Amino acid sequence: MSKAYVLINVERDLDITSRLKKIPEVKEVYRIYGIYDMIVKVETKDMKDLRKVVIERIRRINGVRSTMTLVVVS
Protein backbone atom coordinates (compact mmCIF):
# COMPACT_ATOMS: atom_id res chain seq x y z
CA MET A 1 0.00 0.00 0.00
CA SER A 2 1.20 3.51 -0.82
CA LYS A 3 0.40 6.45 1.44
CA ALA A 4 1.02 10.10 0.77
CA TYR A 5 0.08 13.56 1.92
CA VAL A 6 -0.78 16.01 -0.82
CA LEU A 7 -0.35 19.72 -0.12
CA ILE A 8 -2.65 21.84 -2.26
CA ASN A 9 -2.83 25.50 -3.26
CA VAL A 10 -6.22 26.70 -4.47
CA GLU A 11 -7.14 29.68 -6.65
CA ARG A 12 -10.19 30.74 -4.70
CA ASP A 13 -12.51 29.47 -2.03
CA LEU A 14 -14.45 26.94 -4.10
CA ASP A 15 -16.05 23.84 -2.65
CA ILE A 16 -12.92 21.78 -3.28
CA THR A 17 -13.21 19.92 0.04
CA SER A 18 -16.40 18.11 -0.95
CA ARG A 19 -14.95 17.19 -4.35
CA LEU A 20 -11.83 15.75 -2.74
CA LYS A 21 -13.91 13.70 -0.30
CA LYS A 22 -15.67 12.02 -3.24
CA ILE A 23 -12.38 10.43 -4.37
CA PRO A 24 -12.28 6.96 -2.73
CA GLU A 25 -8.49 7.02 -2.21
CA VAL A 26 -8.71 10.29 -0.27
CA LYS A 27 -8.93 9.38 3.41
CA GLU A 28 -8.64 12.79 5.12
CA VAL A 29 -9.01 16.42 3.99
CA TYR A 30 -8.04 19.49 6.02
CA ARG A 31 -7.94 23.23 5.36
CA ILE A 32 -4.68 24.64 6.74
CA TYR A 33 -2.92 27.99 7.24
CA GLY A 34 0.48 28.68 5.75
CA ILE A 35 2.06 28.37 2.32
CA TYR A 36 -0.49 25.71 1.33
CA ASP A 37 -4.26 25.90 1.68
CA MET A 38 -5.12 22.22 2.13
CA ILE A 39 -3.58 18.88 3.08
CA VAL A 40 -5.02 15.57 1.92
CA LYS A 41 -4.13 12.04 3.01
CA VAL A 42 -4.21 9.56 0.10
CA GLU A 43 -3.93 5.76 0.25
CA THR A 44 -3.58 3.59 -2.86
CA LYS A 45 -2.51 0.04 -3.64
CA ASP A 46 0.76 1.14 -5.29
CA MET A 47 2.77 4.11 -6.56
CA LYS A 48 1.27 3.87 -10.04
CA ASP A 49 -2.23 4.38 -8.64
CA LEU A 50 -1.00 7.16 -6.36
CA ARG A 51 0.39 9.04 -9.33
CA LYS A 52 -2.87 8.51 -11.22
CA VAL A 53 -5.02 9.82 -8.35
CA VAL A 54 -2.91 12.96 -7.92
CA ILE A 55 -2.50 13.79 -11.60
CA GLU A 56 -5.83 12.66 -13.03
CA ARG A 57 -8.21 13.29 -10.13
CA ILE A 58 -6.87 15.88 -7.67
CA ARG A 59 -5.06 18.23 -10.08
CA ARG A 60 -8.03 18.31 -12.45
CA ILE A 61 -10.40 19.73 -9.86
CA ASN A 62 -11.42 23.24 -10.85
CA GLY A 63 -9.64 25.70 -8.55
CA VAL A 64 -6.61 23.54 -7.71
CA ARG A 65 -3.62 25.70 -8.58
CA SER A 66 -0.75 23.42 -7.56
CA THR A 67 0.10 20.33 -5.53
CA MET A 68 3.09 18.87 -3.73
CA THR A 69 3.03 15.16 -2.94
CA LEU A 70 4.87 13.81 0.11
CA VAL A 71 5.13 10.02 -0.03
CA VAL A 72 5.19 8.22 3.32
CA VAL A 73 8.17 5.90 3.80
CA SER A 74 7.73 2.97 6.17
Side-chain angles (χ1 to χ4, degrees):
M1 176 170 288
S2 294
K3 294 181 185 180
Y5 289 90
V6 181
L7 302 170
I8 302 172
N9 277 321
V10 298
E11 289 181 14
R12 53 193 176 273
D13 193 21
L14 299 173
D15 192 17
I16 295 171
T17 301
S18 66
R19 294 180 196 174
L20 288 167
K21 287 182 177 181
K22 291 179 183 176
I23 301 170
E25 296 84 0
V26 170
K27 304 304 179 188
E28 298 176 34
V29 178
Y30 300 102
R31 296 289 307 225
I32 57 174
Y33 292 110
I35 296 171
Y36 293 93
D37 303 307
M38 304 182 84
I39 186 167
V40 176
K41 182 180 179 183
V42 179
E43 293 181 359
T44 60
K45 66 179 181 176
D46 56 32
M47 289 299 293
K48 181 179 175 184
D49 283 346
L50 176 61
R51 185 176 191 277
K52 189 174 181 177
V53 168
V54 173
I55 292 172
E56 296 179 11
R57 308 281 311 272
I58 295 175
R59 287 187 184 173
R60 290 190 181 175
I61 293 174
N62 185 32
V64 170
R65 183 183 319 156
S66 64
T67 63
M68 176 185 287
T69 304
L70 307 168
V71 178
V72 175
V73 182
S74 298

